């Protein structure tokens, strides 16, 4: 109830702002104009094609990042020497704004879906990698020493100790990366001619259809929001065996 | 830390440095005689970077970009921390705005780039606005959860003694939330750098993003790489700077014994991960 009224209040303020004409209608069309676009868009194959294109690039890049990042993170997290020697390198690379590589990639790979996937992959791999590493490192020294003294075989140790204790952290990394993947995919589409939601926003705005542009932006928000929601639910399901780390 | 001998220090330095050094060496060697159009020798790239910085307009681009990031981030910090303190303190408000804020954070700010730049123009103002808009959410959400995460006992005590609200805010709430606020600003910084690049690639006569776009589309490959490297250095340099500032401001927090810190740092890493 409370949350619903907050949403309503924001919509009302938005409508009032648009009606008062403080900002021009091309910068911020009213909520009725924006939401009025949706029935038309839902019947439009272009809309679904754009959503599909964005998700396609995002999901492919995300999966590739998970396949590369999780094992690499677990291994470097298990062995202190590997973690130490890669620390500085990872630190520098991780703070690199991947989208700045776009012009270079445009040169080398051209404006292709592969390029979009590669940029998404590069942006997603670090959160996954770092969280996996962090998770593998979270095995308490006492347990690690116990395993050492009992000479627990490496594979068994990995499967039964490191993997379970790293899972929560890995899940967090995956959730982070999932949100990032959509964001980066849209960013690439805005800047290039590749099809997708980002491209449609540019097209709509350049065609003077600001309310359609906003409808696409809200679609992007809805996708991000549902990904976050779904991954939170999935995380809770998968990690039911362990006590919740947070309650709120 | 202080009990470490200089030998141990060297050893840890060596352990951390060998791989980066090796990578740079391999990169230099592999591209040394490169005749490939897209991958010029790394030395060429560095030489181009140096030349552009000294004689070209790259310094102007760099300053333009830096100023936008600083202004946008400052704006987002002021608004985010201010609003976050209010929302975090008032429980009713916090619950009411939760889904809205989650949605706002999930909406990619990059999608706003064409809308804002096409309507407001290609100057510095719209870019600062975009950077502030994107950086606002992690700071705001982290402030809220930092304020909310303060031990209820502390809160009750402060209330019980009727400590005036301004004093409470300055001495209890803000310091308690500060570690998490900083985690939020760290996340916001990386968003700010990305938005800087995107907004400048999309439409700008100056700036680093414009520099790499221009050189890229005119097939000036060494220049493109040089600009890209500079943006990387900028991103890393700013995050190191922020860490140093955090260390100075939060010395009291980092110097605590790990055990007393644990419950706090756990919530911090979680919220950092959330964003």
């Amino acid at each position: 109830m409370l949350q619903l009224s907050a949403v309503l209040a924001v919509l009302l303020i938005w409508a009032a702002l648009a009606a008062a004409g403080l900002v021009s209608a091309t910068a911020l069309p009213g909520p009725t104009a924006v939401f009025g676009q949706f029935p038309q868009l839902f019947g439009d194959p272009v809309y679904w094609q754009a959503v599909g294109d964005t998700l396609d690039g995002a999901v492919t890049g995300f999966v590739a990042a998970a396949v590369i990042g999780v094992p690499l993170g677990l291994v470097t997290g298990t062995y202190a020497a590997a973690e130490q020697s890669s620390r500085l390198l990872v630190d520098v690379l991780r703070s690199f704004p991947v989208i700045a590589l776009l012009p270079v990639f445009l040169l080398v790979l051209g404006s292709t879906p592969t390029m979009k996937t590669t940029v998404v992959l590069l942006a997603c791999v670090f959160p996954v990698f770092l969280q996996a590493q962090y998770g593998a490192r979270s095995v308490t020294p006492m347990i690690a020493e116990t395993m050492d003294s009992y000479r627990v075989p490496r594979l068994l140790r990995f499967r039964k100790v490191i993997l379970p204790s790293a899972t929560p952290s890995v899940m967090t990394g995956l959730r982070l990366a999932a949100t990032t993947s959509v964001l980066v995919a849209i960013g690439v589409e805005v800047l290039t001619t590749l099809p997708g939601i980002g491209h449609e926003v540019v097209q709509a705005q350049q065609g003077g259809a600001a309310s359609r542009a906003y409808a696409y932006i809200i679609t992007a928000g809805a996708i991000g929001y549902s990904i976050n929601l779904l991954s939170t639910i999935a995380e809770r399901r998968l990690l039911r065996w362990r006590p919740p780390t947070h309650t709120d | 830390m202080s009990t470490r001998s200089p030998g141990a220090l060297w050893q840890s330095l060596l352990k951390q440095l060998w791989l980066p050094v090796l990578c740079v060496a391999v990169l230099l060697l592999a591209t040394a005689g490169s005749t490939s159009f897209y991958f010029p020798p790394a030395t060429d790239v560095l030489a181009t970077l140096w030349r552009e910085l000294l004689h070209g307009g790259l310094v102007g681009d760099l300053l333009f970009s830096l100023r936008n990031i600083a202004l946008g981030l400052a704006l987002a910090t002021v608004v985010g921390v201010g609003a976050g303190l209010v929302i975090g303190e008032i429980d009713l408000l916090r619950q009411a705005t939760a889904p809205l804020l989650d949605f706002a954070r999930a909406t990619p700010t990059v999608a706003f780039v064409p809308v804002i730049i096409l309507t407001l123009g290609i100057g510095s103002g719209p870019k600062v606005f975009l950077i502030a808009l994107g950086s606002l959410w992690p700071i705001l959400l982290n402030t809220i959860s930092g304020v909310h995460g303060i031990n209820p006992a502390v809160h009750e005590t402060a209330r019980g003694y009727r400590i005036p609200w301004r004093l409470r805010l300055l001495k209890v709430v803000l310091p308690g939330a500060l570690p998490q606020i900083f985690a939020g600003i760290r996340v916001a910084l990386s968003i700010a750098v990305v938005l800087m690049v995107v907004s400048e690639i999309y439409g700008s006569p100056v700036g680093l993003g414009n520099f790499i776009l221009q050189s890229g589309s005119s097939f000036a490959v060494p220049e493109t790489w040089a600009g890209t490297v500079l943006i990387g250095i900028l991103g890393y340099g700013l995050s190191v700077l922020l860490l140093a500032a955090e260390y100075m401001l939060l010395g009291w927090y980092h110097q605590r014994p790990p055990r007393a810190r644990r419950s706090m740092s756990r919530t911090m890493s979680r919220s950092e991960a959330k964003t």
Side-chain angles (χ1 to χ4, degrees):
Chain A
M1 242 348 259
L2 195 65
Q3 299 181 338
L4 205 67
S5 48
V7 173
L8 277 178
V10 166
L11 283 178
L12 277 177
I13 294 172
W14 179 9
L17 265 178
L22 283 175
V23 275
S24 74
T26 42
L28 187 67
T32 40
V34 171
F35 286 103
Q37 290 284 329
F38 277 113
Q40 195 197 333
L41 282 175
F42 284 152
D44 192 352
V46 175
Y47 177 80
W48 296 110
Q49 182 66 41
V51 172
D53 280 332
T54 299
L55 283 181
D56 189 33
V59 170
T60 322
F62 168 73
V63 169
V67 168
I68 298 173
V70 173
L72 218 60
L74 287 178
V75 170
T76 51
T78 313
Y79 302 104
E83 191 268 326
Q84 268 188 334
S85 39
S86 61
R87 189 185 297 161
L88 190 66
L89 197 65
V90 170
D91 239 26
V92 173
L93 291 179
R94 150 182 91 142
S95 53
F96 193 93
V98 176
I99 213 95
L101 282 171
L102 198 70
V104 172
F105 275 122
L106 272 175
L107 275 177
V108 179
L109 292 174
S111 189
T112 56
T114 319
M115 192 272 291
K116 180 159 68 175
T117 311
T118 316
V119 177
V120 172
L121 160 71
L122 284 176
C124 291
V125 80
F126 284 104
V128 175
F129 171 83
L130 283 167
Q131 288 289 327
Q133 191 177 61
Y134 180 75
R137 261 175 29 208
S138 69
V139 176
T140 40
M142 202 169 69
I143 295 176
E145 273 164 31
T146 312
M147 288 189 299
D148 275 341
S149 49
Y150 279 107
R151 305 236 173 114
V152 177
R154 204 164 280 178
L155 206 65
L156 188 69
R157 173 196 296 210
F158 187 76
R159 268 208 358 247
K160 292 285 176 189
V161 179
I162 295 172
L163 210 55
S165 65
T167 328
S169 183
V170 170
M171 288 300 295
T172 309
L174 290 179
R175 199 179 58 203
L176 254 172
T179 330
T180 313
S181 68
V182 178
L183 186 111
V184 173
I186 292 177
V188 172
E189 288 156 11
V190 166
L191 296 176
T192 62
T193 50
L194 285 168
I197 294 176
H199 188 60
E200 292 303 322
V201 174
V202 179
Q203 290 281 305
Q205 188 68 16
Q206 277 174 348
S211 50
R212 183 135 37 92
Y214 270 91
Y216 274 108
I217 293 176
I218 289 175
T219 307
I223 292 176
Y225 187 68
S226 12
I227 287 180
N228 207 29
L229 207 66
L230 284 177
S231 46
T232 316
I233 294 171
E235 191 176 338
R236 213 171 289 157
R237 278 272 165 84
L238 275 170
L239 300 177
R240 214 164 11 186
W241 48 271
R242 77 196 313 272
T245 45
H246 47 92
T247 43
D248 56 339
Chain B
M1 275 295 207
S2 52
T3 51
R4 265 193 182 175
S5 65
L9 187 75
W10 274 111
Q11 210 174 17
S12 97
L13 254 177
L14 205 67
K15 264 187 196 156
Q16 288 190 31
L17 280 179
W18 73 268
L19 192 65
V21 170
L22 185 74
C23 282
V24 171
V26 167
L27 195 71
L28 283 177
L29 278 178
T31 59
S34 170
T35 48
S36 156
F37 180 69
Y38 296 125
F39 300 99
T43 44
D44 267 19
V45 172
L46 291 182
T48 310
L49 179 60
W50 188 242
R51 198 182 59 233
E52 286 288 333
L53 274 176
L54 283 186
H55 308 294
L58 205 51
V59 174
D61 288 330
L62 182 67
L63 288 179
F64 179 81
S65 301
L66 262 178
R67 205 187 59 135
N68 288 349
I69 291 181
L71 282 178
L73 209 56
L75 197 63
T77 308
V78 170
V79 176
V81 172
L85 287 177
V86 174
I87 298 177
E89 273 285 272
I90 304 168
D91 232 29
L92 195 76
L93 207 57
R94 188 178 61 83
Q95 280 168 9
T97 52
L100 268 176
L101 291 179
D102 271 346
F103 190 85
R105 189 196 42 191
T107 309
T109 314
V110 281
F112 279 104
V113 170
V115 176
I116 303 287
I117 288 187
L118 281 173
T119 35
L120 297 183
I122 56 173
S124 171
K127 295 186 178 66
V128 172
F129 178 67
L130 275 166
I131 292 171
L133 185 70
S135 328
L136 176 64
W137 310 113
I139 299 177
L140 179 62
L141 286 160
N142 268 33
T143 310
I144 293 173
S145 101
V147 171
H148 182 61
I150 293 173
N151 195 334
V154 174
H155 248 131
E156 305 269 292
T157 312
R159 269 186 233 273
Y161 280 107
R162 304 235 174 118
I163 293 172
W165 67 269
R166 201 189 303 203
L167 198 65
R168 203 178 74 215
L169 201 68
L170 277 179
K171 294 283 173 188
V172 180
V173 179
L174 197 60
L178 214 52
Q180 238 182 301
I181 293 177
F182 259 105
I185 297 179
R186 263 206 311 267
V187 177
L189 175 68
S190 58
I191 296 178
V193 176
V194 168
L195 281 172
M196 177 274 282
V197 177
V198 174
S199 65
E200 286 173 5
I201 290 182
Y202 190 80
S204 175
V206 270
L208 292 177
N210 176 61
F211 179 80
I212 50 174
L213 178 77
Q214 291 301 328
S215 48
S217 50
S218 55
F219 292 95
V221 181
E223 276 80 4
T224 319
W225 278 109
T228 310
V229 168
L230 187 61
I231 293 176
I233 295 173
L234 182 74
Y236 184 66
L238 284 177
S239 74
V240 168
L241 220 62
L242 193 63
L243 269 181
E246 180 179 337
Y247 203 81
M248 263 168 31
L249 271 167
L250 288 178
W252 53 269
Y253 172 75
H254 287 292
Q255 275 154 18
R256 266 190 214 179
R259 194 172 286 279
R261 227 166 57 195
R262 191 182 285 162
S263 62
M264 279 172 98
S265 62
R266 187 176 292 158
T267 50
M268 188 168 78
S269 67
R270 168 164 48 98
S271 68
E272 195 179 3
K274 251 191 211 163
T275 40

